[in-house]
Amino acid sequence: MIWNTMMGTSILSIPWGIKQAGFTSGIILILLMGILTLYCCYRVVKSRKMIPLIDTSNWEFPDVCKYYFGSFGQWSSLLFSMVSLVGAMVVYWVLMSNFLFNTGRFIYNFVHDINVTDIVPGTNGSNKVICPSAASSHPPQNKSVIFSSGNNTGFELFKEWWNKSQTVPFYLIAVLLPVLNLKSPSFFAKFNVLGTVSVVYLVFLVTVKAARLGIHLEYNWFTENDFFVPEFRILFPQLTGVLTLAFFIHNCVITLLQNNRNQENNVRDLSIAYFLVGLTYLYVGVIIFASFPSPPLSKECIEQNFLDNFPSDDIMSFVARIFLLFQMMTVYPLLGYLARVQLLRQFFGNAYPSVFHVLVLNVAIVGAGVAMARFYPNIGGIIRYSGATCGLAFVFVYPSLIYVISLHRAGQLTWPVLIIHIFIILLGLANLIAQFLL
């Protein structure tokens, strides 16, 4: 359950993050961030039991923050929780727009027997890999060559009305905004298994593509050339920002573990879940990076969503986009429900005060997603900014401070423990600042 909940959209950006950090440092950072976030999550799980003489069995982590930090802890934890939820919903909207666009284009071309060859740098053959970033930095005058059994007027009209950033993000409003206003999204919770199916299929896709493409690695430890990135890069904080959200479950881990039949196994189960998540990220990230054909392409071509490195007419990528599109369309209302419950209950004491209140909130959230899909469709950037922001509070600062304060009140605080947890807090602060400097 924890593995299924934690595995999300971040998996699509892990190969890009490894490219930004460098191959060797990327692997090291995934391992270190997994261990660090696991420890901080462990501190969250144990935080309730360190409060004496009070029944905390029904408490969530924001309640613990309120106990230690008063109204500031209560409202700040709400703020950072909303950042994580809304950030995830924005990423979902950008990705759903991407997947819907590519799916629609694939179906239209197939139905109308249209063969579109994009003029984008890429490899030849049946296992084609493309470099959209090179095309965007040096756009050709004609973006595609069309081979069709019919006239091209309909295709040009289709391209006008089926645009990745200008039209498709708005089409999603008609489907998802009404669903967000439902009082309970319990119907969509039944499709949670789609998340597992999507991740399993992504692992299968990555394995098959790597087997066909082969391994393309050359170790240049500190120098960079046209085809290979160095093993260590100064841009590594971009990966740590992505990983903060990729390993983020701290604001709901207590709720998830409450359903565990054997509570004494919580730490074991949490550790197993983090191990599996880290292993999945490592496998997908390393295999995509290592098999990316360089030469003839450059590793710099690895996209923030690695599925964009496969052309829209690639069958396996088409199936992956279909799986992910339906998964995200079922998870999106659940995220909206969590955001509504946390925000409106805090302000109005009721998760559904009126249709008007809920509609205003949902329009604002949907509007943020549409705006990002229209003007800043960079999921890697959105993930690392929101991950580093919410992670500063929920991953690094609050778990460490609460542990130190509880030990101090019990007279058990030692200098090594204090220094270690201050260092963890400083790491979280440096992680956030670095996102805006690199």
Side-chain angles (χ1 to χ4, degrees), residues 74 105 114 169 197 199 237 268 295-296 328 346 371 378 380 424 432:
Q74 177 185 10
R105 188 166 68 165
I114 296 175
V197 174
V199 174
R268 182 203 65 184
M328 291 179 184
Q346 193 69 40
N378 302 317
I424 291 175
L432 177 61

Side-chain angles (χ1 to χ4, degrees), residues 295-430:
L297 300 179
S298 166
K299 298 288 188 184
E300 290 290 348
C301 290
I302 297 176
E303 294 292 309
Q304 295 184 13
N305 170 7
F306 74 80
L307 289 178
D308 287 342
N309 285 117
F310 302 109
S312 59
D313 60 353
D314 183 85
I315 298 294
M316 293 190 68
S317 301
F318 168 74
V319 174
R321 291 182 179 108
I322 288 287
F323 273 129
L324 289 167
L325 177 61
F326 281 103
Q327 178 217 349
M328 291 179 184
M329 292 184 72
T330 57
V331 174
Y332 188 85
L334 298 176
L335 295 175
Y337 175 76
L338 291 175
R340 179 209 312 168
V341 168
Q342 291 190 18
L343 189 65
L344 298 186
R345 183 174 289 170
Q346 193 69 40
F347 279 96
F348 303 102
N350 188 343
Y352 205 99
S354 71
V355 175
F356 175 77
H357 290 83
V358 174
L359 182 61
V360 169
L361 174 62
N362 291 334
V363 167
I365 294 175
V366 168
V370 172
M372 284 295 186
R374 176 70 179 84
F375 300 107
Y376 188 75
N378 302 317
I379 64 166
I382 301 171
I383 289 174
R384 68 187 183 95
Y385 287 126
S386 59
T389 302
C390 66
L392 175 65
F394 277 106
V395 178
F396 299 103
V397 175
Y398 285 155
S400 298
L401 278 182
I402 288 173
Y403 182 58
V404 168
I405 292 173
S406 62
L407 289 180
H408 176 69
R409 291 179 179 178
Q412 300 174 355
L413 182 62
T414 61
W415 279 108
V417 171
L418 178 62
I419 292 173
I420 289 172
H421 288 85
I422 289 177
F423 179 68
I424 291 175
I425 294 173
L426 293 177
L427 283 178
L429 184 60

Side-chain angles (χ1 to χ4, degrees), residues 177-233:
L177 184 58
V179 172
L180 282 177
N181 295 311
L182 297 176
K183 282 193 173 183
S184 174
S186 56
F187 170 76
F188 296 96
K190 299 176 182 178
F191 295 92
N192 194 40
V193 68
L194 283 175
T196 303
V197 174
S198 300
V199 174
V200 171
Y201 182 78
L202 277 179
V203 172
F204 171 74
L205 180 148
V206 166
T207 305
V208 172
K209 291 293 184 182
R212 292 175 177 176
L213 292 170
I215 301 300
H216 302 267
L217 282 178
E218 180 176 311
Y219 294 98
N220 294 310
W221 288 91
F222 299 104
T223 59
E224 191 165 357
N225 59 38
D226 292 338
F227 298 114
F228 303 99
V229 298
E231 301 306 299
F232 299 89
R233 300 184 77 184

Side-chain angles (χ1 to χ4, degrees), residues 121-298:
T123 59
N124 298 319
S126 57
N127 296 306
K128 186 175 181 180
V129 178
I130 61 175
C131 184
S133 56
S136 62
S137 58
H138 302 286
Q141 292 182 349
N142 297 313
K143 293 187 177 180
S144 58
V145 177
I146 307 170
F147 303 95
S148 173
S149 59
N151 63 66
N152 296 332
T153 305
F155 180 77
E156 294 298 327
L157 185 63
F158 171 76
K159 286 204 304 180
E160 180 181 350
W161 288 97
W162 196 258
N163 186 282
K164 183 187 293 186
S165 60
Q166 296 181 7
T167 60
V168 173
F170 295 92
Y171 296 155
L172 287 169
I173 298 176
V175 178
L176 293 174
L177 184 58
V179 172
L180 282 177
N181 295 311
L182 297 176
K183 282 193 173 183
S184 174
S186 56
F187 170 76
F188 296 96
K190 299 176 182 178
F191 295 92
N192 194 40
V193 68
L194 283 175
T196 303
V197 174
S198 300
V199 174
V200 171
Y201 182 78
L202 277 179
V203 172
F204 171 74
L205 180 148
V206 166
T207 305
V208 172
K209 291 293 184 182
R212 292 175 177 176
L213 292 170
I215 301 300
H216 302 267
L217 282 178
E218 180 176 311
Y219 294 98
N220 294 310
W221 288 91
F222 299 104
T223 59
E224 191 165 357
N225 59 38
D226 292 338
F227 298 114
F228 303 99
V229 298
E231 301 306 299
F232 299 89
R233 300 184 77 184
I234 195 65
L235 298 176
F236 72 89
Q238 295 186 6
L239 176 58
T240 61
V242 170
L243 290 174
T244 306
L245 192 63
F247 286 111
F248 183 75
I249 199 174
H250 301 63
N251 62 338
C252 60
V253 65
I254 292 178
T255 302
L256 292 175
L257 290 177
Q258 281 178 342
N259 299 322
N260 201 346
R261 181 178 301 176
N262 300 313
Q263 290 294 304
E264 65 275 8
N265 296 331
N266 282 348
V267 175
R268 182 203 65 184
D269 295 344
L270 184 66
S271 302
I272 293 174
Y274 263 85
F275 172 78
L276 294 176
V277 169
L279 186 63
T280 306
Y281 288 153
L282 264 178
Y283 183 81
V284 171
V286 169
I287 292 297
I288 287 291
F289 184 92
S291 64
F292 194 84
S294 174
L297 300 179
S298 166

